[in-house]
């Protein structure tokens, strides 16, 4: 990386509760104290009060502004003059861009070519110069570090620095103020900066509070790392939750999480989709998959959490195209969206008869497509694929029974 020796030593120093309290003072008038909303549905599910810490409503749409501002504000005058550089597919990019604009520091942000256009546009609108490089974040990160070496710009790491962790830890101080009776805090983990910061802030005051980290199962580097006692890389992390899609824990947050975080759980893609859908429908909150990961953990095993519980919704920056796909995925995971394929005789009125059978069981047809040229089909056969909106798993089973009773062979 492009840290100077002094900066490397500073980044690796212990993060103290005083650091977090100092960061809170620094962020006054910059970062919002985001809302804490109760969730009746989750409270009934868990059997104890559940509150949502809405960092998705933070400036730039995520908690990342907190750490970025503290990090950049702590630079020496000559470092500010050299500018800063960062690499990100979204949230960190926007946090660095806005923090730099507020502090009058020139910012260059490298983003992958596949980054969502709304995130690229927002980063530019906050005042940063955006350079598109690479197809994945690792390639983008390498380009940003090279730029830092060549220009002298200060590289702003998304999570592996003491100042970043201190800034993110201010979320924990707000939780204690807004919900002083909290017993469990559930927070998503990627590199670990947010969870580490919250742990430092909370455990120093309330060591009895249980802190549970959540990772996407396809990008879960912390469980094997904690088992090994050192950061371990996960090859080719895969998850829709790009905000926690990190292949290796940060050195600084890893030490804190190993000491202060009580448990790290993993959640599936289906659980992430269902959680995002629940936040939208029940809480009326737009949350990105990474931000919904604590809710996914509550849904997966509600009896495992002592209340009152605070679930940190870390961000709400989700591309509309991805949101549409995730919502459909979430509906399918809940049994509210069903795709079936079947064969029928290719004659006038056959489709109307099929739709009539579906109307009897109150299945809403969203889409119909025909295949007539497959060599596996008989001369008088056609294959029909139907996308249906249903009311849940029991209704899906009822639809299947109705089709079979009507004489149809369901292929999928």
């Amino acid at each position: 990386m492009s840290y100077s020796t002094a900066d490397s030593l500073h980044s690796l120093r212990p993060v103290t509760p005083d650091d977090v309290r100092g960061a809170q003072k620094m962020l006054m008038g910059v970062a919002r104290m985001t809302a804490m909303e109760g969730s009746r549905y989750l409270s009934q599910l868990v059997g104890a009060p559940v509150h949502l810490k809405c960092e998705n409503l933070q400036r730039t749409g995520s908690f990342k502004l907190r750490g970025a501002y503290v990090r950049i504000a702590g630079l020496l005058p000559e470092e500010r003059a050299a500018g800063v550089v960062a690499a990100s597919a979204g949230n960190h990019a926007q946090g660095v861009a806005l923090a730099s604009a507020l502090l009058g520091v020139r910012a260059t942000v490298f983003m992958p070519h596949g980054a969502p256009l709304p995130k690229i546009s927002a980063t530019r609108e906050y005042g940063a110069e955006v350079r598109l490089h690479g197809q994945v974040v690792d390639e983008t990160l390498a380009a940003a570090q090279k730029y830092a070496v060549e220009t002298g710009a200060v590289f702003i790491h998304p999570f592996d620095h003491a100042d970043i962790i201190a800034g993110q830890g201010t979320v924990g101080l707000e939780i204690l103020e807004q919900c002083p009776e909290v017993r469990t805090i559930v927070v998503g983990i990627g590199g670990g900066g947010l969870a580490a910061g919250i742990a430092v802030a909370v455990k120093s005051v309330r060591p009895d509070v249980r802190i549970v980290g959540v990772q996407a199962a396809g990008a879960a580097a912390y469980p094997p790392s904690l088992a090994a006692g050192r950061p371990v890389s996960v090859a080719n992390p895969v998850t829709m939750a790009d905000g926690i899609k990190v292949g290796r824990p940060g050195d600084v947050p890893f030490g804190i999480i190993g000491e202060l975080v009580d448990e790290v759980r993993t959640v599936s893609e289906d659980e992430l989709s269902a959680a995002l859908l629940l936040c939208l429908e029940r809480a009326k909150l737009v949350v990105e998959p990474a931000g919904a990961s604590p809710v996914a953990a509550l849904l997966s095993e509600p009896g495992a959490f002592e209340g009152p519980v605070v679930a940190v919704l870390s961000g709400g920056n989700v591309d509309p195209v991805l949101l549409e796909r995730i919502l459909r995925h979430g509906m399918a995971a809940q049994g509210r969206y069903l795709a079936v394929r079947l064969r029928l005789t290719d004659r006038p009125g056959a489709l109307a008869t099929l739709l009539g059978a579906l109307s009897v069981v109150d299945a809403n047809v969203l889409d119909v497509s025909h295949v007539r040229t497959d060599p596996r089909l008989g001369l008088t056969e056609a294959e029909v694929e139907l996308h249906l909106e249903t009311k849940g798993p029991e209704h899906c089973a009822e639809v299947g029974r109705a089709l079979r009773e009507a004489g149809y062979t369901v292929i999928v």
Side-chain angles (χ1 to χ4, degrees):
M1 293 185 182
S2 58
Y3 299 132
S4 65
T5 301
D7 187 66
S8 296
L9 292 173
H10 180 72
S11 72
L12 293 170
R13 68 171 174 78
V15 183
T16 69
D18 284 341
D19 292 331
V20 182
R21 286 189 284 268
Q24 187 177 46
K25 292 178 181 178
M26 190 180 296
L27 288 168
M28 290 183 64
V30 176
R32 298 175 181 139
M33 176 183 278
T34 51
M36 180 89 75
E37 300 287 346
S39 171
R40 183 178 301 174
Y41 178 86
L42 289 173
S43 296
Q44 291 175 343
L45 190 68
V46 172
V50 174
H51 306 280
L52 306 176
K53 177 59 172 167
C54 301
E55 282 296 289
N56 58 311
L57 303 180
Q58 183 58 262
R59 296 178 71 178
T60 75
S62 87
F63 70 95
K64 289 288 189 177
L65 172 65
R66 297 173 183 265
Y69 188 90
V70 173
R71 172 77 174 97
I72 297 170
L75 296 179
L76 298 173
E78 58 269 27
E79 291 176 316
R80 291 196 189 195
V84 299
V85 61
S88 168
N91 289 347
H92 181 58
Q94 293 174 68
V96 168
L98 179 56
S100 299
L102 293 172
L103 292 164
V105 176
R106 184 178 71 258
T108 303
V109 177
F110 284 77
M111 303 182 77
H113 283 287
L117 290 177
K119 294 185 179 182
I120 294 173
S121 297
T123 303
R124 284 180 173 144
E125 288 167 7
Y126 287 128
E129 177 189 350
V130 174
R131 298 192 180 191
L132 300 179
H133 183 92
Q135 300 301 319
V136 296
V137 174
D138 285 345
E139 296 172 354
T140 308
L141 182 64
Q145 292 171 334
K146 180 181 178 184
Y147 177 89
V149 171
E150 293 174 346
T151 66
V154 178
F155 179 70
I156 306 299
H157 199 284
F159 51 81
D160 208 11
H161 195 282
D163 289 345
I164 294 285
I165 294 169
Q168 320 304 29
T170 59
V171 175
L173 296 181
E174 291 180 13
I175 290 172
L176 292 177
E177 181 177 343
Q178 293 170 301
C179 185
E181 68 278 13
V182 63
R183 295 292 300 169
T184 306
I185 297 173
V186 191
V187 56
I189 295 182
L194 177 60
I198 289 175
V200 169
V202 172
K203 290 287 191 176
S204 66
V205 181
R206 290 278 310 280
D208 60 304
V209 173
R210 185 171 179 80
I211 298 179
V212 179
V214 184
Q215 291 209 286
Y222 265 90
S225 296
L226 291 170
R230 57 181 175 79
V232 174
S233 297
V234 171
N236 302 317
V238 177
T239 177
M240 70 175 78
D242 58 350
I244 53 175
K245 185 180 177 181
V246 178
R248 182 187 183 278
D251 293 325
V252 183
F254 175 78
I256 296 170
I257 287 172
E259 179 183 355
L260 298 179
V261 171
D262 298 281
E263 180 185 5
V264 177
R265 290 174 165 258
T266 62
V267 292
S268 69
E269 299 298 284
D270 283 352
E271 288 164 344
L272 286 168
S273 296
L276 187 149
L277 184 60
L278 185 143
C279 288
L280 187 62
E281 287 189 325
R282 297 299 184 111
K284 306 300 182 286
L285 292 168
V286 176
V287 182
E288 63 188 274
S293 59
V295 176
L298 295 178
L299 293 176
S300 68
E301 194 177 351
F305 301 89
E306 181 185 359
V309 177
V310 173
V312 181
L313 308 183
S314 58
N317 293 318
V318 57
D319 180 51
V321 176
L322 177 62
L323 178 61
E324 180 182 9
R325 291 168 51 198
I326 292 172
L327 290 178
R328 288 207 171 219
H329 188 87
M331 290 177 68
Q334 291 187 347
R336 294 166 54 190
Y337 181 81
L338 178 64
V340 295
R341 256 188 323 128
L342 45 85
R343 289 180 185 174
L344 46 73
T345 303
D346 191 10
R347 58 176 174 77
L351 180 60
T353 302
L354 170 60
L355 297 180
L358 291 169
S359 68
V360 171
V361 289
D362 201 25
N364 183 32
V365 179
L366 301 175
D367 188 42
V368 180
S369 59
H370 290 80
V371 175
R372 291 187 172 90
T373 57
D374 192 317
R376 294 171 296 180
L377 294 172
L379 185 62
T380 61
E381 288 183 320
E383 193 171 279
V384 175
E385 183 171 345
L386 299 160
H387 292 180
L388 309 172
E389 182 181 6
T390 56
K391 301 172 184 177
E394 292 182 1
H395 192 205
C396 287
E398 183 184 357
V399 170
R401 286 194 301 270
L403 289 173
R404 287 189 292 272
E405 290 171 1
Y408 296 103
T409 300
V410 178
I411 301 171
V412 178

